[in-house]
Amino acid sequence: MTSATDDKTIVRDYFNATGFDRWRRIYGEGEVNKVQLDIRKGHQETINTVLGWLQDDGNLADLKICDAGCGVGSLSIPLAQAGAQVYASDISEKMVGEAQERAAAELSPEQIPTFEAKDLEQIGGRYHTVICLDVLIHYPQDKAAGMIAHLSTLAESRVILSFAPKTTFYSALKKVGEFFPGPSKATRAYLHAEADVVKALTTQGWQIERKAMNKTRFYFSRLIEATR
């Protein structure tokens, strides 16, 4: 069985090489193929859902937020634009560099998040809200549970996670190679049973507050907000 360390190495190497160019295009605004456009739309729906939750609470400008696995800044930048104090990290140095460039182009100097290339489990500090989107798909459940436990030590009031749900239908799609189509596939795609993710959260003292499901043809993301 592949070790968690191997998974991290694979993720880091992928997003610092071929994966970086692929996902930078997907998360950007330029021309992409139909599959990539579908994934872009799905990912943006997840970003919009999280932003909607935070904006509905009416205190976003007062919050200190950690965006763990920030990618190219798709969430970090609008959070900073809304007035939040944002710390953002990613395992990929190239992703962090791209996020810094985009933030510098879109934000005023005082709004720019603190960006850092760092393993998720090396993140320190204390934050009102910790958010981790589209990261758990790269790791098996035992490793994901450890990540959730660590993120929980950083969060004072709320954790928001997304994951690819493990259902009979999505498992079948994954088996026939349709979950992440295309010649430049991502790392191993791990599906997670919602009950396992909920257990990992409640074990850390969290209560489930809100849920959402965003899906397109090639993108599937279950969102869970936990509070205490």
Side-chain angles (χ1 to χ4, degrees):
M1 182 176 178
T2 302
S3 71
T5 301
D6 289 338
D7 281 305
K8 285 187 178 182
T9 300
I10 290 167
V11 171
R12 182 183 291 108
D13 290 349
Y14 174 77
F15 284 104
N16 276 324
T18 58
F20 169 69
D21 291 328
R22 180 179 191 239
W23 290 95
R24 178 178 57 176
R25 290 196 304 273
I26 290 174
Y27 294 152
E29 297 179 353
E31 278 194 36
V32 289
N33 63 42
K34 291 182 179 179
V35 171
Q36 292 171 332
L37 180 61
D38 181 87
I39 295 171
R40 176 190 290 175
K41 289 178 178 178
H43 177 73
Q44 190 59 49
E45 285 180 12
T46 294
I47 296 294
N48 291 344
T49 299
V50 172
L51 289 172
W53 284 353
L54 299 181
Q55 289 165 347
D56 286 347
D57 291 343
N59 63 343
L60 182 51
D62 300 325
L63 300 187
K64 185 177 181 182
I65 297 177
C66 172
D67 183 8
C70 66
V72 298
S74 302
L75 178 64
S76 298
I77 291 172
L79 287 176
Q81 286 173 327
Q85 181 182 346
V86 181
Y87 167 84
S89 70
D90 197 276
I91 197 170
S92 164
E93 293 181 2
K94 280 198 170 184
M95 285 289 187
V96 169
E98 178 72 13
Q100 289 173 320
E101 289 184 11
R102 293 188 183 192
E106 298 181 38
L107 302 172
S108 61
E110 64 272 12
Q111 290 178 314
I112 294 177
T114 298
F115 288 105
E116 193 169 19
K118 183 172 282 191
D119 184 311
L120 183 150
E121 289 171 302
Q122 294 176 332
I123 299 172
R126 292 288 287 172
Y127 309 90
H128 176 281
T129 297
V130 173
I131 303 171
C132 185
L133 303 183
D134 294 349
V135 171
L136 298 183
I137 191 170
H138 302 298
Y139 300 97
Q141 181 57 38
D142 59 342
K143 190 58 184 174
M147 291 177 165
I148 292 171
H150 178 67
L151 294 176
S152 295
T153 68
L154 309 176
E156 296 173 351
S157 300
R158 174 169 52 197
V159 170
I160 298 175
L161 305 172
S162 76
F163 57 96
K166 187 175 184 179
T167 67
T168 301
F169 177 67
Y170 294 148
S171 295
L173 283 183
K174 180 175 178 290
K175 279 187 177 181
V176 298
E178 294 179 4
F179 195 78
F180 275 109
S184 179
K185 293 189 178 185
T187 61
R188 297 177 181 89
Y190 293 100
L191 309 185
H192 297 283
E194 183 172 332
D196 291 337
V197 176
V198 169
K199 181 179 179 181
L201 287 165
T202 56
T203 297
Q204 299 300 319
W206 298 103
Q207 294 183 332
I208 306 306
E209 188 70 25
R210 286 180 281 205
K211 296 180 182 180
M213 180 72 191
N214 292 315
K215 58 183 179 179
T216 59
R217 186 177 179 187
F218 297 109
Y219 176 93
F220 315 96
S221 182
R222 184 65 160 159
L223 268 171
I224 293 182
E225 176 193 49
T227 59
R228 62 183 174 197

